[in-house]
Amino acid sequence: MERGLLAPLSPNEEKALRRIAHGMSKPQHLRDAPIVRLKRLFLIEEQDGRIRLTDLGKQRFAGVRAAAPAA
């Protein structure tokens, strides 16, 4: 599972992770390829037709957010 914290994410995967973290969690609103990879990394899971961050995904999102350039 550590792989999910360390694996490099593409810009589209990072964008999908951010969208899910901010509540845009219906699969039809997100691209398929990033979702498949984020699931394989155990960063997200689908439940009741919605996608949400796993605990590992929350940790990863905190790292992505910290690494984002300040506006």
Side-chain angles (χ1 to χ4, degrees):
M1 285 210 206
E2 188 174 305
R3 181 173 166 240
L5 292 175
L6 302 175
L9 297 179
S10 73
N12 286 334
E13 292 162 350
E14 285 185 14
K15 185 177 180 179
L17 190 69
R18 281 194 303 272
R19 285 182 170 194
I20 294 164
H22 291 294
M24 185 180 282
S25 58
K26 291 187 178 179
Q28 64 269 27
H29 294 151
L30 303 164
R31 297 179 126 180
D32 289 337
I35 297 305
V36 169
R37 178 130 190 279
L38 293 174
K39 283 182 181 179
R40 285 185 186 150
L41 292 171
F42 301 103
L43 297 176
I44 63 172
E45 62 186 6
E46 194 166 345
Q47 204 171 45
D48 298 324
R50 298 186 74 76
I51 299 174
R52 67 178 195 90
L53 296 180
T54 61
D55 288 339
L56 191 66
K58 291 174 186 174
Q59 290 178 40
R60 180 65 188 248
F61 175 65
V64 167
R65 200 172 39 181

